[in-house]
């Protein structure tokens, strides 16, 4: 699915948190895909195109990301994004979903599931913020750069020099094969953050709001979560060590499978989409039993 195909599927819906952008494809039970920081719903394009025969696949743009529109004073914390997800589903009159999260979106999925277990038909967590590993140590230099006023400059640099985006000094470590990331994908991910000064400030506020208490505080609820859960993790992620996949497996009683993808990194749902989609198909099939 290229940019034009993806954009042709874009929709918007108003919620108390803002005018939320999303892309959907397919019919049937709803699968809701939640991305993390700096990227947007385009991360899930391979899931939308390949799983739409068995699910109504929806990829949402978080607050302060993608094409979602918010007011300048809108709370953009992870907890606020989890609340937005509930508002989003209510606006679409969707009662339950197969919830899938990656990176910060996985942390938000945990918060959402803890607060709304009745809405979670199944849960899939890939490499993501977990318990007190939020923000991860490897991401703290970028947070410090943003807090020091360097976010706009960094975004401009990554867009003007796509090679820098793919380097070890930028987003390269998030990928198993950074060279495979297309210029188009980088544009789609980063350009919205520079659409206006306000959009850049929204991302700054999003980054400044990172707080592990958002996930630590839901541990007790996760220990009561019986939704069928798949934990899929890349073995070489410098942000989210494999130990956190074991923590989730032990904490969530609904966990049915933990799978480790050797050599994979943070954005493996985009890079290893064939293998991940196969896991999702099997997980959803078994969850229905």
């Amino acid at each position: 699915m290229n940019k034009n195909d993806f954009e042709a599927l874009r929709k918007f819906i108003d919620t108390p948190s803002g005018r939320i952008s999303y892309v959907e494809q397919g019919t049937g039970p709803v699968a809701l895909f939640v991305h993390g920081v700096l990227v947007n719903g385009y991360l899930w394009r391979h899931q939308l195109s390949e799983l739409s025969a068995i699910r109504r696949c929806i990829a949402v743009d978080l607050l302060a990301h993608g094409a979602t529109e918010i007011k300048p004073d809108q709370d953009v914390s992870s907890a606020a994004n989890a609340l937005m997800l509930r508002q989003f589903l209510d606006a679409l009159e969707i009662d339950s979903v197969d919830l899938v999260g990656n990176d910060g979106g996985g942390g938000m999925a945990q918060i959402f599931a803890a607060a709304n277990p009745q809405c979670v038909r199944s849960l899939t967590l890939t490499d993501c913020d977990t318990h007190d590993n939020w923000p991860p140590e490897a991401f703290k230099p970028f947070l410090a750069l943003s807090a020091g006023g360097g976010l706009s400059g960094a975004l401009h640099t990554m867009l003007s020099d796509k090679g820098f985006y793919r380097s070890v000094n930028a987003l390269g470590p998030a990928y198993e094969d950074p060279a495979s990331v297309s210029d188009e994908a980088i544009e789609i991910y980063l350009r919205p953050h520079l659409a206006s000064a306000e959009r850049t400030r929204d991302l700054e506020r999003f980054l400044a709001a990172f707080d592990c208490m958002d996930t630590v505080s839901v541990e007790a609820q996760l220990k009561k979560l019986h939704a069928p859960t798949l934990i899929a993790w890349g073995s070489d992620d410098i942000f989210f060590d494999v130990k956190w996949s074991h923590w989730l497996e032990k904490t969530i009683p609904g966990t049915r499978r933990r799978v480790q993808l050797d050599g994979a990194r943070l954005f493996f749902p985009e890079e290893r989409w064939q293998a991940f989609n196969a896991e999702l198909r099997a997980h959803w099939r078994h969850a229905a039993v």
Side-chain angles (χ1 to χ4, degrees):
M1 184 184 297
N2 61 30
K3 177 182 179 180
N4 291 337
D5 294 334
F6 191 79
E7 288 300 326
L9 301 172
R10 187 172 301 284
K11 299 179 179 180
F12 293 86
I13 194 161
D14 291 321
T15 74
S17 295
R19 186 170 184 252
I20 308 304
S21 167
Y22 66 103
V23 170
E24 72 168 275
Q25 187 171 13
T27 58
V30 175
L32 179 64
F33 296 87
V34 189
H35 67 83
V37 66
L38 290 174
V39 296
N40 51 51
Y42 191 68
L43 177 80
W44 305 107
R45 60 195 179 280
H46 301 301
Q47 283 69 49
L48 267 66
S49 62
E50 297 297 323
L51 299 174
S52 58
I54 59 172
R55 286 293 186 276
R56 177 186 173 190
C57 296
I58 298 178
V60 65
D61 283 350
L62 293 175
L63 305 175
H65 288 75
T68 286
E69 301 171 5
I70 61 174
K71 294 180 179 179
D73 61 349
Q74 169 63 42
D75 184 355
V76 293
S77 67
S78 297
N81 267 288
L83 174 60
M84 177 276 288
L85 294 177
R86 178 57 192 267
Q87 295 169 347
F88 174 77
L89 294 178
D90 287 346
L92 290 175
E93 299 182 343
I94 295 171
D95 295 326
S96 64
V97 297
D98 295 300
L99 185 60
V100 184
N102 174 254
D103 190 27
M108 295 164 198
Q110 293 170 53
I111 299 167
F112 176 91
N116 307 279
Q118 75 284 357
C119 296
V120 182
R121 184 170 46 248
S122 74
L123 176 64
T124 298
L125 297 172
T126 67
D127 304 42
C128 64
D129 298 287
T130 303
H131 198 55
D132 61 0
N133 183 41
W134 192 340
E137 284 296 324
F139 196 62
K140 287 182 179 178
F142 190 81
L143 296 181
L145 180 146
S146 177
L151 180 61
S152 178
L155 293 172
H156 277 290
T157 299
M158 287 188 284
L159 283 167
S160 62
D161 179 3
K162 304 298 195 299
F164 181 72
Y165 176 97
R166 303 180 184 99
S167 76
V168 295
N169 295 315
L171 272 293
Y175 297 91
E176 184 178 0
D177 180 16
S180 69
V181 185
S182 70
D183 287 358
E184 180 178 70
I186 296 171
E187 283 284 335
I188 292 170
Y189 290 150
L190 299 188
R191 188 64 65 181
H193 298 306
L194 292 173
S196 67
E198 184 176 307
R199 287 292 182 104
T200 306
R201 284 194 297 271
D202 289 340
L203 180 59
E204 288 174 341
R205 295 192 299 113
F206 178 90
L207 295 170
F210 277 18
D211 188 344
C212 68
M213 287 308 300
D214 287 340
T215 42
V216 170
S217 64
V218 300
E219 181 179 358
Q221 293 101 308
L222 291 180
K223 289 181 176 179
K224 301 176 183 178
L225 184 63
H226 291 275
T229 299
L230 166 67
I231 310 296
W233 222 262
S235 69
D236 285 5
D237 192 338
I238 70 165
F239 302 102
F240 306 111
D241 191 272
V242 171
K243 70 179 182 181
W244 293 108
S245 69
H246 292 286
W247 188 93
L248 288 165
E249 180 184 24
K250 293 175 182 177
T251 301
I252 300 175
T255 300
R256 295 189 174 185
R257 175 169 165 77
R258 189 195 72 87
V259 59
Q260 185 170 308
L261 287 76
D262 290 340
R265 294 190 175 185
L266 175 58
F267 291 145
F268 78 79
E270 181 176 31
E271 291 190 286
R272 295 201 191 182
W273 60 268
Q274 297 97 329
F276 182 51
N277 286 0
E279 291 289 345
L280 284 175
R281 287 178 180 272
H283 176 51
W284 292 340
R285 183 170 60 252
H286 294 154
V289 176

